[in-house]
């Protein structure tokens, strides 16, 4: 019975997830062939969104063997999701939410995203901007194994530091922490004013 149940689970539950991850991985891999600007935007958004989804962004980055500028953009995109959600949900979740999302995971917001997908916009827009700046201005690079981690335990920024040394410190501070926080907050406040994000939309059960 156990073997049969396991086989059915693998066929009907795991297979669609694996297919989606394969498709997403192919999309990200194709994006790495674009110009640095477009690559930064696309890779940052896709890997950042993968981090927030209930799939493994780390597995995707390792599977694709991301390195160099692509890995840097992936890291920045993940940081934008985590820091972005942490900051814009502070009104609803306080310091506990700030810490659990900022150095934990933005995946905590998945339930709220299912209720109002618009709350995903601020962090995603922030990742588009920081991703483009990452590949064209700061030339951020990261070791592949850290690319899909974002600020979870500060693994992403540490991966950039491991690859770039002291040359990456300014970029880490600006693109992994400050810019995502400021940009996400600006976009979220605009969306609150027009009624797309309402009080309680980002509330977590902590």
């Amino acid at each position: 019975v156990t073997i049969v149940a396991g086989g059915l689970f693998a066929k009907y539950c795991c297979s669609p997830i694996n297919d989606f991850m394969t498709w997403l991985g192919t999309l990200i891999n194709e994006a790495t062939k674009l110009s640095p600007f477009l690559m930064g935007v696309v890779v940052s958004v896709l890997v950042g969104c993968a981090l927030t989804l209930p799939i493994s962004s780390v597995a995707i980055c390792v599977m694709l063997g991301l390195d160099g500028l692509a890995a840097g953009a992936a890291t920045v995109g993940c940081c934008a999701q985590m820091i972005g959600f942490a900051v814009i949900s502070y009104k609803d979740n306080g310091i506990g939410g700030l810490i659990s999302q900022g150095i934990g995971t933005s995946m905590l917001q998945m339930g709220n995203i299912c209720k109002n997908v618009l709350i995903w916009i601020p962090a995603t827009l922030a990742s588009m901007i920081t991703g483009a700046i990452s590949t064209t201005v700061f030339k951020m690079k990261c070791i592949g194994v850290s690319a899909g981690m974002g600020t979870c335990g500060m693994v992403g920024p540490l991966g950039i530091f491991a690859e770039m040394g002291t040359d990456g410190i300014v970029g880490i501070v600006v693109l992994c922490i400050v810019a995502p926080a400021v940009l996400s907050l600006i976009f979220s406040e605009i969306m609150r004013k027009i009624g797309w994000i309402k009080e309680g939309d980002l509330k977590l059960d902590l």
Side-chain angles (χ1 to χ4, degrees), residues 42-65:
V42 177
V43 171
S44 180
V45 169
L46 290 179
V47 179
C49 287
L51 175 85
T52 301
L53 288 168
I55 59 176
S56 176
S57 55
V58 177
I60 292 173
C61 291
V62 172
M63 175 182 71
L64 296 176

Side-chain angles (χ1 to χ4, degrees), residues 80 83-91 118-127 129-130 177-197 202:
I83 296 298
F85 271 117
V87 170
I88 70 174
S89 69
Y90 182 78
K91 293 179 181 178
L118 297 178
I119 66 172
W120 212 348
I121 292 177
T124 303
L125 288 178
S127 71
I129 296 171
T130 56
I177 301 172
V178 178
V182 173
L183 290 169
S184 296
L185 192 59
I186 291 172
F187 293 135
S188 68
E189 288 304 307
I190 292 172
M191 292 179 66
R192 288 179 193 275
K193 290 184 183 298
I194 60 180
W196 288 6
I197 296 179
L202 293 142

Side-chain angles (χ1 to χ4, degrees), residues 6-176:
L8 290 173
F9 178 81
K11 180 178 180 179
Y12 294 106
C13 296
C14 294
S15 183
I17 295 174
N18 290 335
D19 289 344
F20 174 75
M21 287 186 65
T22 300
W23 172 82
L24 184 61
T26 301
L27 198 60
I28 294 170
N29 191 48
E30 288 300 313
T32 63
K33 303 173 185 177
L34 300 172
S35 66
F37 177 84
L38 290 176
M39 178 184 72
V41 172
V42 177
V43 171
S44 180
V45 169
L46 290 179
V47 179
C49 287
L51 175 85
T52 301
L53 288 168
I55 59 176
S56 176
S57 55
V58 177
I60 292 173
C61 291
V62 172
M63 175 182 71
L64 296 176
L66 289 186
D67 60 7
L69 292 179
T75 303
V76 167
C78 291
C79 291
Q81 291 285 329
M82 296 177 67
I83 296 298
F85 271 117
V87 170
I88 70 174
S89 69
Y90 182 78
K91 293 179 181 178
D92 291 317
N93 302 305
I95 189 67
L98 187 72
I99 294 173
S100 62
Q101 294 171 92
I103 59 174
T105 176
S106 55
M107 199 182 298
L108 293 171
Q109 286 290 347
M110 201 61 231
N112 290 329
I113 290 172
C114 291
K115 297 175 185 176
N116 179 11
V117 72
L118 297 178
I119 66 172
W120 212 348
I121 292 177
T124 303
L125 288 178
S127 71
M128 291 176 66
I129 296 171
T130 56
I133 296 174
S134 169
T135 54
T136 58
V137 179
F138 286 91
K139 310 288 186 182
M140 301 293 281
K141 297 179 181 179
C142 182
I143 56 176
V145 71
S146 298
M149 290 294 289
T151 51
C152 179
M154 298 306 289
V155 174
L158 288 173
I160 293 175
F161 183 78
E163 180 69 21
M164 299 181 66
T166 54
D167 291 339
I169 292 178
V170 174
I172 289 171
V173 174
V174 173
L175 296 181
C176 294

